[in-house]
Amino acid sequence: MTTSQQSDDSQKTPSPQAVKPAAKPVAAQTVAHTTPLEEAAKFARVTEDGHVFVIIDGAEHPVGQYPDASQEEALAYFVRKYDDAFSQLLLLEQRVAAKAPAGEMGKNIDALAALVTERHMVGDIALLESRLETVRAAAQNLAADQRKANEAARAEQLALRESIVEQAEAMAAKRPEQIQWKTASAAMNELFENWKSTQRSSVRLPRATEDALWKRFRAARTTFDRHRRAYFSQLDSTNAAAKAVKEELIARAEALQTSTDWAATAAEYRKLMDEWKKSRRASRKDDDQLWGRFRAAQDVFFQARAAANAKIDEEFAANLVVKEALLEEARALLPIQDLATAKAKLDSIRDRWEAAGKVPRGDLQRIESALRQVADAVKGAEDEQWRRSNPETKARSNSMLSQLQDTIAALEDDLKAAEAKGNAKQIAAAQEALDARRMWLSTLEKSAADFE
């Protein structure tokens, strides 16, 4: 038996102890090729002593020897070798058609091509070689397409990673006092989750690139966390100082809350309120609590003052009834007919007004303003009477009347002289001057009548 045959026989009948069963790939189980012996006989010659030759393009190539067997058995043995190779080819074609990962396809094709080149099989070798070259070209195209797709996916993954890093670096570069920390912290956590999600992706970046991006991202997160800790540390200090100031204001407010010096204490509370508004805010929780205490201290005082005022107003209610009646009596003086009588009655009303005492605070301005209007009307009538009876004014008016009457008499003489001469120009000028003086005279006479 030849070396080739011994090798083939060992593959044909392996020892159970030498080879463990292995599960074939599902795809391989569905790929099978069987060449009929009649068809295979067209590509082979078998001698009586078991030598087998394969015919390729009219030329014979020795395949091997299968002694101690019929020619059909020898042929069938090497046909099975061909069928195995053809099944491997079909599997490769299916993987290419299914666009399976092309990483190992080239090696598998090379191995199958080397096996076919050895010619230890019987079948249509030319067809097998032709289809091998076709599947090799298809696998190469598939590998090229997959490389492009992988490169595009890596570029997309790189852009995504860089975007995450740049967002983190932008957040870390902001000044701490400009950051809304609750929102920013949630955003940074989301970026970290996105980073971990990208790491679970099937697309891998070069190790050096991924390490460099991770270092940048980690540095940005570290800076962000350091700024956050420093900010809140400073904020705690600021809040503590603001809280201390407001605690002091509360203590002063609580010390005043039992005072009955209503006016002075109310003014002091206004000062405290101004100081409170100018002071720094503490944390929202503390500030709300502090404001509640500060406001409560004021409420004690102002509620006590309101109760005291209410009691006083109740005592003054009877006084208000008296003054309301006096106000109606004062209003009855209008319009003024007799000034002397009106003045006397108003003086009497004023005396009784003062004697009536205080009225409730809410009515004070209204009722005082109403009486003042009556008093102003009486004062106005008095001023008008004085203006009419003023001796200086009357004397000045009489002097002007006398002078104007003398001027009119002179102008009448001028008019007569001009008429006697028949001088039209002089007549017109004298008449115009006379008419103007007579008009002034009429006005003065009416004014003088007002002083009578």
Side-chain angles (χ1 to χ4, degrees):
M1 182 179 295
T2 66
T3 304
S4 150
Q5 180 186 357
Q6 292 174 351
S7 174
D8 292 342
D9 287 342
S10 66
Q11 295 177 18
K12 178 182 177 184
T13 56
S15 168
Q17 291 78 17
V19 180
K20 294 182 179 180
K24 292 183 179 180
V26 175
Q29 294 176 2
T30 61
V31 177
H33 180 78
T34 303
T35 303
L37 290 182
E38 295 80 3
E39 182 69 22
K42 298 176 182 179
F43 303 98
R45 184 174 67 84
V46 183
T47 64
E48 292 181 356
D49 58 359
H51 282 90
V52 180
F53 299 85
V54 64
I55 301 172
I56 304 173
D57 296 330
E60 291 186 350
H61 301 271
V63 174
Q65 184 181 20
Y66 196 86
D68 302 326
S70 66
Q71 291 179 333
E72 289 76 8
E73 290 174 336
L75 178 61
Y77 177 76
F78 289 105
V79 169
R80 286 196 297 272
K81 296 291 186 180
Y82 177 85
D83 288 342
D84 287 343
F86 208 94
S87 294
Q88 293 180 49
L89 171 65
L90 292 176
L91 179 59
L92 287 169
E93 289 176 339
Q94 288 187 359
R95 291 182 63 196
V96 170
K99 299 186 183 303
E104 299 295 325
M105 283 188 187
K107 292 181 180 180
N108 294 337
I109 293 171
D110 289 342
L112 182 56
L115 180 64
V116 174
T117 302
E118 291 175 357
R119 307 294 193 247
H120 295 317
M121 62 185 68
V122 173
D124 192 346
I125 301 295
L127 174 64
L128 189 57
E129 290 177 336
S130 174
R131 290 179 64 169
L132 265 172
E133 291 307 312
T134 300
V135 78
R136 183 191 300 278
Q140 289 173 346
N141 292 336
L142 176 61
D145 292 341
Q146 289 179 351
R147 280 195 299 273
K148 290 181 181 178
N150 288 338
E151 289 172 0
R154 279 194 295 271
E156 182 179 354
Q157 181 72 196
L158 177 60
L160 178 59
R161 296 282 187 96
E162 288 178 338
S163 174
I164 293 173
V165 171
E166 288 168 0
Q167 291 180 66
E169 289 175 337
M171 292 172 64
K174 287 185 177 180
R175 296 175 60 182
E177 63 273 15
Q178 295 176 333
I179 297 177
Q180 295 290 335
W181 285 103
K182 182 177 181 180
T183 303
S185 296
M188 183 61 80
N189 290 336
E190 184 178 357
L191 288 176
F192 184 51
E193 292 301 320
N194 290 342
W195 180 275
K196 292 192 292 185
S197 177
T198 60
Q199 287 184 315
R200 292 191 291 269
S201 171
S202 59
V203 180
R204 297 295 179 185
L205 296 177
R207 184 61 179 268
T209 301
E210 183 164 352
D211 288 347
L213 288 172
W214 167 247
K215 287 179 181 178
R216 287 173 58 191
F217 183 64
R218 182 178 58 192
R221 288 183 69 218
T222 300
T223 300
F224 179 84
D225 289 339
R226 185 174 68 251
H227 287 174
R228 180 176 56 186
R229 289 192 297 271
Y231 173 82
F232 281 104
S233 176
Q234 179 62 40
L235 185 62
D236 288 343
S237 177
T238 302
N239 287 342
K243 187 176 179 181
V245 170
K246 291 189 173 181
E247 289 280 7
E248 191 268 338
L249 292 175
I250 291 170
R252 288 163 60 189
E254 289 173 343
L256 294 171
Q257 64 186 354
T258 57
S259 173
T260 56
D261 187 355
W262 309 120
T265 305
E268 195 63 30
Y269 270 121
R270 285 193 292 271
K271 292 180 182 178
L272 288 175
M273 179 62 75
D274 290 340
E275 291 183 50
W276 185 279
K277 291 178 180 178
K278 293 176 182 178
S279 64
R280 283 180 172 271
R281 288 183 60 85
S283 68
R284 183 171 182 177
K285 180 180 179 182
D286 288 340
D287 216 58
D288 289 345
Q289 184 181 25
L290 292 167
W291 168 251
R293 291 170 56 196
F294 181 69
R295 189 65 183 173
Q298 294 184 80
D299 288 344
V300 171
F301 168 78
F302 285 108
Q303 287 171 5
R305 187 185 69 168
N309 288 338
K311 185 176 181 181
I312 292 173
D313 288 346
E314 184 178 356
E315 294 174 358
F316 292 163
N319 300 343
L320 178 62
V321 173
V322 173
K323 287 194 174 182
E324 290 281 10
L326 291 172
L327 182 59
E328 292 302 317
E329 184 179 340
R331 285 171 174 164
L333 299 177
L334 305 178
I336 297 172
Q337 303 296 331
D338 184 341
L339 179 59
T341 301
K343 289 176 62 178
K345 288 185 177 180
L346 181 59
D347 289 340
S348 174
I349 291 171
R350 281 174 167 167
D351 292 340
R352 286 177 285 157
W353 186 278
E354 293 299 326
K358 295 182 179 180
V359 297
R361 293 166 59 89
D363 297 292
L364 179 61
Q365 183 175 358
R366 173 185 64 83
I367 202 164
E368 290 289 344
S369 177
L371 182 62
R372 190 161 50 250
Q373 290 176 1
V374 175
D376 289 345
V378 174
K379 181 67 169 56
E382 186 177 14
D383 290 345
E384 177 63 19
Q385 185 183 57
W386 167 250
R387 187 184 66 81
R388 291 173 180 270
S389 60
N390 188 338
E392 293 182 0
T393 305
K394 289 176 69 177
R396 189 163 51 250
S397 176
N398 290 337
S399 175
M400 290 179 65
L401 281 172
S402 178
Q403 292 176 8
L404 191 54
Q405 287 170 351
D406 291 343
T407 301
I408 289 173
L411 288 172
E412 287 174 344
D413 291 342
D414 290 344
L415 179 59
K416 288 178 181 180
E419 287 175 346
K421 292 179 181 180
N423 189 327
K425 186 176 181 180
Q426 291 181 355
I427 292 172
Q431 185 65 55
E432 183 180 356
L434 182 59
D435 290 343
R437 299 309 187 278
R438 284 173 176 171
M439 186 179 294
W440 292 350
L441 178 62
S442 175
T443 301
L444 282 175
E445 287 175 343
K446 289 179 180 179
S447 177
D450 292 338
F451 295 104
E452 298 298 331

